Amino acid sequence: MDNNLKQESLIIKFEGGAVKEHAIPVSSFIETLSGLEKLSCKTIEKYYEKKTRVDVKVTSLRPGSFIFDLILSYAEPIRATVENVNLISETIISVINLGKFLMGKKAVEQKACEGDLNQTAITNCNGQVQAFNNSTINIWSDGSVRSALNKTTSSLDKDGFDSIRVQSGTKTSFVNKNERPYFYDNQHEILNENESNIILEITELSLSGSNKKWRFFDGDIEFYAVIEDETFLTDVKNKAYSFTNGTQLDVILRTVQKKNNSRITTERSIIEVKKVIQPN
């Protein structure tokens, strides 16, 4: 598969009393950066409908302000479907704008736009109608994207932060403190989230290429995990690997602990299979 390395940038600007006093808490900065990194990676993954390598970097702060540039570098896969192609940075801004438009509620109605199959008209809870790109709607529907937006805008919960501005070229999205509730992750409170490189032994598998029905043993406990590595799943379906008792995978495992009302749940997903290890 031919991959083209692409690079885009987003300008991020904080505004508020803490910015004027040049006293930004480190924790707020890190939380926002973590959210932006996850948002960028998930947007690219959903946009191209497959995993691809993404590198997110921050350039130095601009003098006299709290403005920084977020640089996105990624290998662009060939898309499986033909659709009007936007810059990823502009798509991220469109996703934020869709979140603002919905005001934390579900869409009242979605209707394909006449004459443009790539656009859908969304009706929000106030009866307002606005057209959004289908890719934007698909990305917003992903719970992990909304979780990333929750982290990205979390600094607005703190005193001294009034707004966050995200800009790419002529496209801009502006989220103020009053709009912060639109991005709350109301369904699940994320207690902990991490990624780790780990060796897992396969105890159950799916030879059909399904991303579910995979069970693993990490040396301590057994658990089910969803496999998000589409290349690996395709290879499994095409019988590129043989699996025997004791076959292991060298993977990047994402673990997310959530609280839904009073219940705590743990979700595990394999975002990359680095190597298949056969038993001696």
Side-chain angles (χ1 to χ4, degrees), residues 53 55 72 75 94 107 147 192 214:
R53 181 176 57 82
D55 187 23
L72 313 178
S94 295
S147 172
N192 186 36
W214 289 80

Side-chain angles (χ1 to χ4, degrees), residues 250-268:
D250 180 356
V251 306
I252 302 297
L253 178 70
R254 178 190 294 130
T255 304
V256 181
Q257 188 181 50
K258 298 180 179 181
K259 185 176 182 180
N260 185 5
N261 295 323
S262 60
R263 186 177 181 182
I264 295 177
T265 61
T266 299
E267 298 177 358
R268 297 177 178 88

Side-chain angles (χ1 to χ4, degrees), residues 13-16 18-24 60-68:
K13 182 179 181 180
F14 289 85
E15 295 178 338
V19 177
K20 293 179 181 178
E21 296 172 4
H22 304 286
I24 302 294
S60 57
L61 296 177
R62 300 187 181 186
S65 65
F66 203 77
I67 305 174
F68 61 88

